[in-house]
Amino acid sequence: MKVLFWISGVLAVMLAVPSLFFFALHLSTGEPVPLVRAKALYRWAVVVVLGTFNIVIFTRVFQGLRAIW
């Protein structure tokens, strides 16, 4: 699980930092294109975080089911 957390953490940071940059660029210039890019990168960061959460939860569920059987 440590490897999963490290990979997802690195991916989330790699997606969140450019998202913040593009959002700051949108705030400073008012252009709509950086806002679209910031939203897209933010959504992908959320997908990575929620996907990691699902993997962790379902791994524990399957471990519990295996322990019962």
Side-chain angles (χ1 to χ4, degrees):
M1 285 303 219
K2 259 187 186 178
V3 174
L4 174 69
F5 290 141
W6 274 103
I7 291 172
S8 67
V10 168
L11 280 175
V13 168
M14 287 175 60
L15 291 167
V17 169
S19 175
L20 290 173
F21 171 74
F22 281 119
F23 186 67
L25 190 62
H26 166 70
L27 290 178
S28 64
T29 63
E31 292 290 323
V33 175
L35 180 62
V36 171
R37 291 181 184 168
K39 285 181 180 179
L41 288 168
Y42 173 75
R43 289 176 183 148
W44 276 109
V46 169
V47 166
V48 168
V49 170
L50 292 178
T52 303
F53 179 73
N54 282 340
I55 290 171
V56 170
I57 293 298
F58 280 109
T59 300
R60 292 187 182 184
V61 167
F62 289 138
Q63 287 173 350
L65 288 174
R66 191 172 8 150
I68 290 174
W69 296 41

